[in-house]
């Protein structure tokens, strides 16, 4: 809910330009105090007839795994330059692992009878392993029709699905609990 946007939902390969407008003008849709960000995706009239294929892998050192990423974009324009269509798709995945250790406070002289005075001992501690398996599937379709030099119609469709499987494994340790 609201006006926020998760930029990870938009594949960078679909973006042709990003304009940052710090001072909106009266003809623009209302934005925010901080300005507007206008993201432009590719359109077939701006691109020559072309197909691009991008294959790569994402490696994360914590997991030791390589996950595949693939993008394909195809743009076709009629010989007279009056009609064009652009179609693209992407599969992206990444596996993430975070190892954490949290300490929630310290006690002074809690175990003075054993350790002596002037020593700090931890209160609740929590070692945790967090894992995420992220998969995103995205598609783009853009069609443009320019029957005259004064009239242009554009249809843009962008769909993205992001699935994140998140697991957290942790244990709470209370070294200051004498019960």
């Amino acid at each position: 809910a609201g006006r926020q946007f998760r930029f990870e939902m938009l594949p960078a390969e679909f973006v042709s330009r990003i304009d940052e407008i710090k001072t909106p003008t009266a003809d623009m849709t209302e934005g925010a105090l901080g300005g507007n960000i206008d993201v432009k995706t590719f359109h077939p009239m701006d691109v020559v007839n072309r197909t691009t294929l991008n294959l790569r892998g994402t490696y994360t050192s914590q997991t030791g795994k390589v996950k595949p990423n693939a993008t394909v974009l195809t743009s076709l324009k009629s010989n007279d330059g009056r009609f064009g269509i652009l179609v693209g798709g992407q599969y992206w995945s990444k596996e993430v692992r975070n190892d954490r250790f949290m300490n929630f406070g310290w006690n002074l002289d809690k175990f003075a009878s054993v350790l002596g005075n002037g020593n700090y001992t931890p209160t609740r501690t929590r070692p945790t392993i967090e894992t995420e398996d992220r998969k995103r599937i995205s598609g783009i379709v853009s069609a443009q029709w320019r029957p005259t030099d004064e009239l242009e119609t554009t249809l843009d469709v962008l769909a993205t699905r992001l699935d994140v499987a998140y697991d957290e494994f942790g244990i709470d340790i209370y070294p200051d609990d004498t019960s």
Side-chain angles (χ1 to χ4, degrees), residues 6 43 48 52 61 63 72 90 97 102 138 147 158 164:
R6 284 182 76 171
H43 290 120
V48 297
T52 59
S61 59
T63 64
V72 63
Q90 182 187 70
R97 175 180 162 168
M102 295 181 282
S138 303
L158 175 68
V164 178

Side-chain angles (χ1 to χ4, degrees), residues 1 4 6 11 16 29 32 37 39 41 44 53 57 73 76-77 93 99-100 106 150-151 155 158 170 174:
Q4 65 271 16
R6 284 182 76 171
S16 67
T29 305
I37 296 176
V39 179
T41 57
L53 176 64
L73 276 171
L76 299 170
K77 200 167 20 173
S93 66
D99 295 349
R100 298 177 187 223
W106 296 91
E150 294 81 29
L151 176 64
L155 171 69
L158 175 68
Y174 296 88

Side-chain angles (χ1 to χ4, degrees), residues 1-155:
R3 295 188 281 182
Q4 65 271 16
F5 180 76
R6 284 182 76 171
F7 282 97
E8 72 176 313
M9 296 298 289
L10 181 63
E13 291 84 355
F14 293 176
V15 176
S16 67
R17 187 174 89 215
I18 297 176
D19 295 330
E20 177 187 5
I21 299 107
K22 292 187 178 186
T23 307
T25 58
D27 64 328
M28 301 172 92
T29 305
E30 181 235 342
L33 185 59
N36 291 320
I37 296 176
D38 191 5
V39 179
K40 305 280 189 182
T41 57
F42 285 108
H43 290 120
M45 296 292 198
D46 302 330
V47 182
V48 297
N49 290 348
R50 175 176 293 163
T51 298
T52 59
L53 176 64
N54 180 352
L55 299 172
R56 65 177 185 251
T58 302
Y59 173 78
T60 52
S61 59
Q62 282 287 85
T63 64
K65 294 181 180 177
V66 176
K67 290 293 196 165
N69 300 296
T71 306
V72 63
L73 276 171
T74 298
S75 182
L76 299 170
K77 200 167 20 173
S78 64
N79 290 337
D80 63 0
R82 299 286 183 193
F83 179 77
I85 188 161
L86 180 137
V87 178
Q90 182 187 70
Y91 174 81
W92 172 89
S93 66
K94 184 177 183 180
E95 195 163 324
V96 179
R97 175 180 162 168
N98 293 311
D99 295 349
R100 298 177 187 223
F101 185 86
M102 295 181 282
N103 181 23
F104 294 89
W106 296 91
N107 290 319
L108 176 62
D109 296 331
K110 176 80 174 182
F111 300 101
S113 61
V114 177
L115 300 173
N117 289 325
N119 292 304
Y120 287 91
T121 55
T123 60
R124 177 180 159 214
T125 58
R126 183 176 171 83
T128 305
I129 296 173
E130 297 171 350
T131 62
E132 285 185 24
D133 190 9
R134 302 176 187 172
K135 292 181 177 73
R136 182 182 65 209
I137 297 173
S138 303
I140 187 172
V141 175
S142 180
Q144 288 183 301
W145 179 46
R146 188 180 296 148
T148 68
D149 290 339
E150 294 81 29
L151 176 64
E152 179 178 293
T153 302
T154 303
L155 171 69

